[in-house]
Amino acid sequence: MDIENLVGSIADFNAEKFAQAAEELHYADLANVFEDLDDQGREFFTKNIDTARFSEVLAELPDTLIEETLERFPIAQQREILGQLVDDDRADILQDVSTSAQQRYLALLQPEEMEETRSLMRYHEETAGGRMTTKVARITQNMSVKEALDTLREEQDSAESLARIYVVDERGHLLGKVRLRDLAFSTWDTRVSSIMEEVDITILATADQEEAAQIFSKYDMTLLPVVNEYEYLLGVITHDDVLEILEEESTEDIEKMSGIAGEQSEETYLNTALSTHFKRRFPWLLILAMLAISSGYVMLRFEDVLSSIYLLALYLPMVVAAGGNTGGQAAAMVIRAMSLGELEAGTTRKVLSKEVCLGAMLGSVMGLCIAIVTMFILPLFNPQLPVGVTIASFSLAVSLALALQITSSTLSGALLPIGARAIKLDPAVVAAPAITTLVDISGMLIYFTAARAILHIT
Amino acid sequence: MDIENLVGSIADFNAEKFAQAAEELHYADLANVFEDLDDQGREFFTKNIDTARFSEVLAELPDTLIEETLERFPIAQQREILGQLVDDDRADILQDVSTSAQQRYLALLQPEEMEETRSLMRYHEETAGGRMTTKVARITQNMSVKEALDTLREEQDSAESLARIYVVDERGHLLGKVRLRDLAFSTWDTRVSSIMEEVDITILATADQEEAAQIFSKYDMTLLPVVNEYEYLLGVITHDDVLEILEEESTEDIEKMSGIAGEQSEETYLNTALSTHFKRRFPWLLILAMLAISSGYVMLRFEDVLSSIYLLALYLPMVVAAGGNTGGQAAAMVIRAMSLGELEAGTTRKVLSKEVCLGAMLGSVMGLCIAIVTMFILPLFNPQLPVGVTIASFSLAVSLALALQITSSTLSGALLPIGARAIKLDPAVVAAPAITTLVDISGMLIYFTAARAILHIT
């Protein structure tokens, strides 16, 4: 409703209606609308939006739009927008623009903001330090409740959340935490040190963002304090950061598991350029195609088997594909368990023995199904088999090959992600597409070898 | 460290060491340890744990363990554990036990707890109502700040979060919200109505949990109020619920996209029984194998083509597999964009035209690559081609088939999830495995038809 009003006002270049509609909307909606506009629409949007409002919108925009959008504003407004940003958003934004723009934008900041932003920019975007905000509510242990409340009241706008208030010593080392309710409901002369609780869980600024998200969701945290190796309190990670991390990491897993390469686009699927989509899909496609020629080569080498019993072609794609499917399932299970932090080092043997059992179970049941289908249904079609080959021996060859292919593929599906992790690769890159291609080769080999041996093809 | 102490104390049946280690640990860690114990270990654990502590542990256990674990306690302790649970956890737990246990456990509760639990149990576990807690901080608009603080102080333990305090009228309708800091930092005679803010975003109790998670992460919410159709405030969803929802939904997507059926196990990968893993992987495996026989049938029907130019076998797996890979990529992109709420109705045409372009781009570049490889590298191996077929015409047939297969598979990969959603199926079920199997069939058809037409095989 409001969104439609906004879009309509931009189409009509109606500044008054625009200002009204923009005021009612959430910044996330404003950012969505902005992203979908054409150049003229964006020009109108940036001319007419309340500058103070726009810093929130800017923080929601995809990386690729940041610089060109900021450049639409005169310098005074750039200064205002950058000044209004929350510190972690500001550091993120400055990490995403060109080096020359970065210098220019930094120079627009107040000296202390500049210092703070620079120090945040030292951390890689995907670490706890890169995600944290330094706007954390801090009090010291010698304060009374009254002093603490006064301090917080003065600084309330500089803390992103008062859900937890951290107690530090004079040099900034983390000592404990209190909740605002503990302060609000205590008598004013109570010492902070007497109501503060211990902080059990912290994270190092250099830790991976995925670790922060895992800690957050495992321990149902509200805020996660970020420290350096001397337990000096640097900042906090808030729950909206964690939602973003989880979304990013899930997208990354799904994309990698589908053979999509490169960094994920911050833009929506529809707004991402064709060339970007192309660049991310092409590399794996080419690598896998080259690998798949090996399967063809195996098929070529077994010409004699296929030409003496061409009926083998009926089950060839099925046996080969079943390996890809079971391998893909096993890989997905193992990769997901790894992402959820369930598989630490030392569990490899358990995983492999589990998957070997499962593979053997799936393989034998599937083999049995196909043997039955072949024994009872195939004869109805009067298949042509060479002398010396019976329906029974044909069924045996096919179902044995299927069982072997499923068992070995299940094992490969579990083994490859674990192996990838061992050599510090992301396990997700060896999911379905890579596994399917690899077990296609083994499937061809298993199928033709079983047929040749059991059906005595010379 | 502490976890090792705990595990050691259980192995030694050392009650004193156990009590000490358990006290130091977070309930999430206790639950993890408990889940990994054998029957004897669990018996020792439940005998020696502080009962008050155990309700938090119980809420973290997988569904399948709830009832057998509660049954280890005498009735008086069952009552204590159930009484200590947060209301939404209690309702979840009671939804997961057998009907007879459900009645017994409900009867152990205080009358008002029973009433509250029953009303929460009316909502399906995967709706906003099923996820919410009714323990929300409520004040009325006519209170002064002092009265509001007094009310909150009295009821502070009954509210799960004071991050937002909701203002309701006498009949419980949602009017607005205040933050604890607004109360703590206002003078005591200020009216609540003068400092309260509007609540823009609420969710209906009957809405899907995924919608709640999307709103939460889109709008950076702290708490999401849950209402009925009359704007009566029923409860709130907290950020730890949202983390759980996101984790569940991502796991569900990844599993479905890998051909794993049925409800996800609440137990860890390693603790899930072999039979459960088997039951979830077998159905799709069987369906896809049956479908794959169609590919074999196509291959069988084109015996003449393959036997007149057996060299075609070299590229057959590659052309077929390339379709599965591009189709899988397109499907993953579209499915993920849907989960993130990016593709609303009306965007179908845009998606399809995007994917047709991409498919054509990928297809023609890949076709070109293969044509070059074939023209320049294949001759080095002195391939045997029948009279009338040149390396050039062979290359043309193969690369044209590849280009067509990639283009059509990319389109299918995008179309199938959209189609699935249109008929109210979960789009994720038609991801890679289903698409690969389907485009295997089209790939065989395209490949052999192109070969027959271009290479004039009669």
Side-chain angles (χ1 to χ4, degrees):
Chain A
M1 192 60 191
D2 286 335
I3 295 181
E4 278 164 40
N5 278 341
L6 187 79
V7 173
S9 72
I10 298 171
D12 304 343
F13 299 111
N14 182 334
E16 199 180 324
K17 215 176 121 201
F18 172 83
Q20 217 168 42
E23 206 187 305
E24 307 248 309
L25 280 171
H26 191 278
Y27 56 83
D29 289 319
L30 291 175
N32 279 356
V33 169
F34 184 81
E35 206 189 325
D36 289 338
L37 290 174
D38 59 11
D39 190 63
Q40 246 189 338
R42 288 182 186 165
E43 197 59 38
F44 175 79
F45 192 113
T46 49
K47 277 235 151 43
N48 291 284
I49 189 81
D50 174 17
T51 321
R53 214 56 231 284
F54 198 75
S55 54
E56 290 174 321
V57 178
L58 189 72
E60 298 279 317
L61 291 180
D63 289 354
T64 44
L65 278 183
I66 299 286
E67 188 171 343
E68 63 158 277
T69 304
L70 263 174
E71 289 305 317
R72 292 177 190 273
F73 291 93
I75 289 186
Q77 284 187 297
Q78 286 178 1
R79 187 197 302 270
E80 196 183 338
I81 292 172
L82 290 167
Q84 294 264 350
L85 281 165
V86 186
D87 63 341
D88 52 342
D89 287 338
R90 190 193 297 133
D92 279 351
I93 281 174
L94 290 184
Q95 278 173 326
D96 292 331
V97 299
S98 65
T99 327
S100 69
Q102 198 180 79
Q103 294 313 315
R104 258 189 297 125
Y105 298 154
L106 275 172
L108 292 176
L109 299 174
Q110 304 291 329
E112 65 191 70
E113 283 170 355
M114 194 200 300
E115 202 38 62
E116 187 186 82
T117 308
R118 271 190 207 280
S119 76
L120 278 179
M121 285 169 65
R122 278 206 308 269
Y123 299 104
H124 187 275
E125 254 188 293
E126 299 193 349
T127 60
R131 286 289 185 172
M132 73 185 178
T133 168
T134 59
K135 301 292 183 197
V136 43
R138 279 169 228 249
I139 52 178
T140 54
Q141 87 268 34
N142 295 322
M143 287 180 175
S144 66
V145 163
K146 168 109 174 59
E147 288 166 330
L149 283 173
D150 287 342
T151 308
L152 294 172
R153 182 182 299 121
E154 265 168 49
E155 294 178 4
Q156 62 167 309
D157 292 327
S158 77
E160 205 172 283
S161 169
L162 294 183
R164 292 288 178 279
I165 295 147
Y166 292 97
V167 184
V168 294
D169 68 14
E170 303 69 37
R171 289 161 56 203
H173 297 98
L174 183 59
L175 296 175
K177 62 182 177 190
V178 293
R179 293 182 302 177
L180 184 55
R181 63 172 94 169
D182 300 326
L183 297 175
F185 303 150
S186 294
T187 52
W188 280 7
D189 57 351
T190 313
R191 289 277 118 194
V192 164
S193 54
S194 71
I195 53 169
M196 79 181 186
E197 287 170 54
E198 221 179 302
V199 176
D200 297 321
I201 302 163
T202 58
I203 191 166
L204 278 176
T206 48
D208 193 87
Q209 62 171 3
E210 203 168 355
E211 198 186 315
Q214 278 176 8
I215 292 177
F216 225 93
S217 72
K218 177 169 179 191
Y219 295 115
D220 298 340
M221 312 284 289
T222 306
L223 286 177
L224 177 59
V226 181
V227 296
N228 68 7
E229 60 258 55
Y230 308 110
E231 287 287 309
Y232 180 93
L233 179 66
L234 296 170
V236 287
I237 291 182
T238 55
H239 61 88
D240 50 320
D241 297 323
V242 174
L243 292 182
E244 253 177 56
I245 296 171
L246 284 181
E247 203 174 283
E248 271 180 38
E249 299 281 342
S250 301
T251 303
E252 196 181 306
D253 274 2
I254 288 176
E255 289 185 348
K256 285 210 180 121
M257 288 169 75
S258 310
I260 297 164
E263 217 163 292
Q264 59 183 276
S265 164
E266 288 212 357
E267 292 169 286
T268 61
Y269 165 83
L270 283 175
N271 284 324
T272 301
L274 268 180
S275 59
T276 309
H277 279 293
F278 180 86
K279 268 186 248 159
R280 301 189 60 209
R281 298 192 197 179
F282 186 70
W284 272 108
L285 215 55
L286 187 67
I287 295 169
L288 296 173
M290 292 302 152
L291 267 172
I293 295 184
S294 315
S295 295
Y297 182 72
V298 174
M299 210 174 145
L300 211 56
R301 295 304 299 256
F302 281 95
E303 177 172 5
D304 56 327
V305 177
L306 196 59
S307 57
S308 52
I309 313 178
Y310 195 76
L311 188 64
L312 283 169
L314 182 60
Y315 292 126
L316 174 65
M318 190 264 288
V319 170
V320 168
N325 292 331
T326 44
Q329 288 175 333
M333 280 297 208
V334 170
I335 291 168
R336 186 65 186 161
M338 283 178 175
S339 301
L340 296 178
E342 289 176 11
L343 301 182
E344 272 131 61
T347 53
T348 304
R349 253 202 12 226
K350 277 193 207 165
V351 174
L352 296 187
S353 68
K354 190 149 208 156
E355 292 296 327
V356 170
C357 287
L358 261 169
M361 283 163 71
L362 290 167
S364 43
V365 176
M366 287 290 292
L368 205 65
C369 291
I370 290 306
I372 291 169
V373 167
T374 312
M375 290 288 285
F376 294 97
I377 300 180
L378 198 61
L380 304 178
F381 295 92
N382 280 322
Q384 292 166 2
L385 288 171
V387 185
V389 175
T390 61
I391 288 275
S393 64
F394 182 80
S395 300
L396 179 67
V398 169
S399 49
L400 189 71
L402 182 63
L404 281 175
Q405 164 72 345
I406 288 178
T407 311
S408 64
S409 303
T410 308
L411 187 61
S412 312
L415 203 55
L416 280 170
I418 294 176
R421 184 170 69 168
I423 57 168
K424 312 268 178 218
L425 273 179
D426 187 328
V429 300
V430 289
I435 283 170
T436 303
T437 310
L438 290 174
V439 302
D440 273 5
I441 308 174
S442 66
M444 293 273 176
L445 273 171
I446 290 171
Y447 191 65
F448 288 119
T449 310
R452 178 178 278 168
I454 293 169
L455 307 177
H456 306 291
I457 297 161
T458 44
Chain B
M1 190 61 192
D2 287 335
I3 296 182
E4 278 165 40
N5 279 341
L6 187 80
V7 173
S9 73
I10 299 170
D12 303 343
F13 299 111
N14 183 334
E16 199 182 323
K17 214 175 119 198
F18 172 81
Q20 218 169 44
E23 207 186 302
E24 308 247 309
L25 280 172
H26 192 277
Y27 55 83
D29 290 319
L30 291 175
N32 278 357
V33 169
F34 185 81
E35 208 189 322
D36 288 339
L37 291 174
D38 59 12
D39 189 64
Q40 245 188 338
R42 288 183 186 163
E43 197 59 38
F44 174 79
F45 192 112
T46 51
K47 277 234 152 47
N48 291 284
I49 189 80
D50 174 17
T51 322
R53 219 45 233 287
F54 199 75
S55 53
E56 290 174 321
V57 178
L58 189 73
E60 297 277 318
L61 291 181
D63 289 355
T64 44
L65 277 183
I66 299 285
E67 188 170 343
E68 64 159 278
T69 304
L70 262 174
E71 288 306 317
R72 292 176 189 273
F73 290 94
I75 289 185
Q77 284 188 299
Q78 285 178 1
R79 187 196 304 271
E80 197 184 333
I81 292 171
L82 290 168
Q84 295 264 351
L85 281 166
V86 185
D87 63 341
D88 54 340
D89 287 339
R90 191 193 297 132
D92 278 351
I93 281 174
L94 290 184
Q95 279 172 325
D96 291 331
V97 299
S98 65
T99 328
S100 69
Q102 197 180 78
Q103 294 313 316
R104 257 187 300 124
Y105 296 153
L106 274 172
L108 292 177
L109 299 174
Q110 305 290 330
E112 66 191 69
E113 284 169 357
M114 195 198 298
E115 204 35 64
E116 186 186 82
T117 308
R118 270 189 208 282
S119 74
L120 277 179
M121 285 168 65
R122 279 205 309 269
Y123 299 104
H124 186 276
E125 254 187 294
E126 298 193 349
T127 60
R131 284 289 184 171
M132 72 184 177
T133 170
T134 59
K135 302 292 183 198
V136 42
R138 279 170 229 251
I139 52 178
T140 54
Q141 87 268 36
N142 296 322
M143 288 180 176
S144 66
V145 163
K146 168 111 175 60
E147 288 166 328
L149 282 173
D150 287 342
T151 310
L152 294 172
R153 183 182 299 120
E154 267 169 46
E155 295 179 2
Q156 63 167 308
D157 292 328
S158 76
E160 206 171 281
S161 169
L162 295 184
R164 292 290 178 277
I165 295 148
Y166 292 96
V167 184
V168 293
D169 67 16
E170 305 69 36
R171 288 162 56 205
H173 296 99
L174 184 59
L175 296 176
K177 62 183 179 191
V178 294
R179 293 182 303 175
L180 185 54
R181 62 172 94 171
D182 300 327
L183 297 174
F185 303 150
S186 294
T187 53
W188 281 6
D189 56 351
T190 313
R191 289 277 117 195
V192 165
S193 54
S194 72
I195 53 170
M196 82 183 184
E197 286 169 54
E198 222 180 302
V199 177
D200 297 319
I201 302 163
T202 58
I203 191 166
L204 277 176
T206 48
D208 193 89
Q209 63 171 4
E210 203 167 355
E211 198 186 314
Q214 277 176 6
I215 291 178
F216 225 93
S217 72
K218 178 169 179 192
Y219 294 114
D220 297 343
M221 310 283 289
T222 306
L223 286 177
L224 177 58
V226 182
V227 295
N228 68 8
E229 60 258 54
Y230 308 109
E231 286 287 309
Y232 179 94
L233 179 66
L234 297 169
V236 287
I237 292 182
T238 54
H239 63 87
D240 49 321
D241 298 322
V242 174
L243 292 181
E244 255 177 56
I245 296 171
L246 284 181
E247 202 173 284
E248 272 179 39
E249 300 281 342
S250 300
T251 304
E252 199 182 304
D253 274 2
I254 288 176
E255 289 184 348
K256 284 208 181 122
M257 289 170 77
S258 310
I260 297 165
E263 216 163 291
Q264 60 183 274
S265 165
E266 289 214 356
E267 292 169 289
T268 61
Y269 164 84
L270 283 175
N271 285 321
T272 301
L274 267 181
S275 59
T276 311
H277 279 294
F278 181 85
K279 268 186 246 159
R280 302 189 61 209
R281 298 194 198 176
F282 186 69
W284 271 108
L285 214 54
L286 188 67
I287 294 168
L288 295 174
M290 292 303 154
L291 265 173
I293 295 184
S294 315
S295 293
Y297 183 70
V298 173
M299 209 174 146
L300 211 57
R301 294 304 301 256
F302 282 94
E303 178 172 5
D304 57 329
V305 177
L306 197 57
S307 57
S308 52
I309 313 178
Y310 195 75
L311 188 65
L312 282 169
L314 182 61
Y315 293 125
L316 175 65
M318 190 265 288
V319 170
V320 168
N325 291 332
T326 43
Q329 288 175 332
M333 280 297 207
V334 170
I335 291 168
R336 185 65 188 162
M338 283 179 176
S339 308
L340 295 178
E342 290 176 9
L343 299 183
E344 272 129 63
T347 53
T348 304
R349 254 202 14 225
K350 276 193 207 163
V351 174
L352 296 186
S353 67
K354 190 149 206 153
E355 291 296 327
V356 170
C357 286
L358 261 169
M361 282 164 71
L362 291 167
S364 44
V365 177
M366 288 289 291
L368 204 66
C369 291
I370 291 305
I372 292 170
V373 168
T374 313
M375 290 287 285
F376 294 96
I377 300 180
L378 198 62
L380 304 178
F381 295 94
N382 280 321
Q384 291 166 2
L385 288 171
V387 184
V389 175
T390 60
I391 288 274
S393 62
F394 181 81
S395 301
L396 178 66
V398 169
S399 49
L400 188 72
L402 183 62
L404 280 175
Q405 164 73 345
I406 288 178
T407 310
S408 63
S409 303
T410 307
L411 186 61
S412 314
L415 203 56
L416 280 169
I418 293 177
R421 185 171 68 170
I423 57 169
K424 311 267 177 220
L425 272 179
D426 186 327
V429 300
V430 289
I435 283 171
T436 303
T437 310
L438 291 174
V439 303
D440 272 5
I441 308 175
S442 66
M444 294 272 177
L445 274 170
I446 290 171
Y447 190 65
F448 287 120
T449 310
R452 178 178 280 167
I454 293 170
L455 307 178
H456 306 291
I457 297 159
T458 43

